[in-house]
Amino acid sequence: DMIYPPEGYIINRTENITALSDMLSLTSAMNSGTILEAKADMCTSNHDLILNLPCIKAVMPREEVCIGIKEGKTKDIAVISRVGKPVCFIVTGFEYINGEKTAVLSRRSAQERCIGSYLSKLKSGEVIDATVTHIEQFGCFVDIGCGLPSLISIDQISISRISHPRDRFAVGESIYAVVKAVEPEGRVQLSHKELLGTWAQNAELYLPGETVAGIIRSVEDYGVFVELTPNLAGLAEPCERS
């Protein structure tokens, strides 16, 4: 099993549900530093996240929601956008807030551990799990562990050219990605096209003279580029009519 999976992976797993079910189990998880997951229910005016765990109400202070909030490097939209979605966390303690015993959570601590024990040790060529979080014209953002983001740029998605990353991926989809490099500041460069086979491997699927279906990806003056597989495209040249 993944130790630092993308968010949403463990929320329905038996171990996670059990740890959240009662105070004894939750306290045990706190003492062992276990990373848990639950849905963020609301965001306060101070941008703290509120989670209603099965056994206790919980708060995740704004600065504990993600790396960079405290330093001002991450905008508050990163906090607000977590509402209604699974968030990973470590229980850091219990406090009485407005007379009610409340669990205090930190997602930032889970992310820091993920970077130190997992992401910083990745090597070029490794294949990792990722979950698509949002898609832009220029690429696909993915969660590579504990809500930490990385980008697969559009030119790294497949060899066959596409007009938009949504031609390949959908938000919420679980995919694999190849590590290209880990930069000194910790950013992980990713690619996907290496997982789709070489030109030769894809070409072996077809025989000369065979009629096959394809997707038109580009129309040029000199012909039409037709995608047969994500890593194999061909040029259909104009045919002069007799």
Side-chain angles (χ1 to χ4, degrees):
D1 283 353
M2 291 178 281
I3 298 175
Y4 300 99
E7 284 179 316
Y9 182 83
I10 68 170
I11 193 167
N12 293 318
R13 294 179 72 91
T14 302
E15 314 91 88
N16 185 69
I17 293 171
T18 300
L20 299 174
S21 63
D22 57 68
M23 287 299 297
L24 184 62
S25 298
L26 190 65
T27 302
S28 176
M30 178 185 71
N31 293 335
S32 62
T34 303
I35 296 176
L36 304 173
E37 274 188 6
K39 187 178 74 173
D41 292 301
M42 65 171 288
C43 180
T44 70
S45 58
N46 294 325
H47 289 168
D48 299 334
L49 289 182
I50 302 298
L51 295 81
N52 292 300
L53 306 182
C55 64
I56 191 174
K57 182 178 179 180
V59 61
M60 186 180 293
R62 172 181 172 272
E63 294 183 352
E64 297 299 323
V65 175
C66 52
I67 289 174
I69 289 287
K70 185 177 182 179
E71 298 79 9
K73 297 178 180 179
T74 303
K75 297 180 180 179
D76 280 341
I77 187 63
V79 178
I80 301 167
S81 64
R82 299 318 304 164
V83 174
K85 299 175 183 177
V87 290
C88 68
F89 57 85
I90 295 170
V91 181
T92 59
F94 300 95
E95 295 180 6
Y96 280 90
I97 300 176
N98 297 325
E100 181 181 7
K101 188 174 183 179
T102 305
V104 182
L105 315 177
S106 175
R107 182 170 176 254
R108 178 183 59 81
S109 295
Q111 291 183 335
E112 289 175 344
R113 192 194 299 176
C114 178
I115 292 172
S117 300
Y118 171 52
L119 297 182
S120 65
K121 297 179 180 179
L122 291 174
K123 304 296 182 185
S124 177
E126 284 191 64
V127 177
I128 64 172
D129 292 273
T131 298
V132 179
T133 55
H134 58 287
I135 295 173
E136 301 288 350
Q137 177 68 48
F138 54 84
C140 167
F141 285 94
V142 295
D143 174 351
I144 54 175
C146 294
L148 291 163
S150 186
L151 172 69
I152 304 176
S153 60
I154 190 169
D155 63 317
Q156 295 297 316
I157 291 175
S158 63
I159 291 176
S160 177
R161 290 180 294 178
I162 54 178
S163 60
H164 199 284
R166 63 170 169 260
D167 291 344
R168 295 274 183 253
F169 300 131
V171 172
E173 183 179 356
S174 295
I175 65 171
Y176 293 111
V178 178
V179 176
K180 299 289 286 184
V182 179
E183 299 177 5
E185 62 271 25
R187 188 164 51 196
V188 180
Q189 294 182 12
L190 297 177
S191 178
H192 182 77
K193 60 186 179 183
E194 289 84 354
L195 300 174
L196 301 175
T198 64
W199 181 91
Q201 289 170 333
N202 282 274
E204 284 179 357
L205 301 172
Y206 303 97
L207 296 172
E210 184 180 2
T211 300
V212 297
I215 300 172
I216 296 175
R217 289 298 185 191
S218 177
V219 179
E220 309 295 342
D221 292 340
Y222 50 84
V224 177
F225 283 97
V226 180
E227 176 188 308
L228 302 181
T229 72
N231 268 9
L232 180 66
L235 176 65
E237 297 178 335
C239 180
E240 296 290 339
R241 292 185 177 183
S242 56

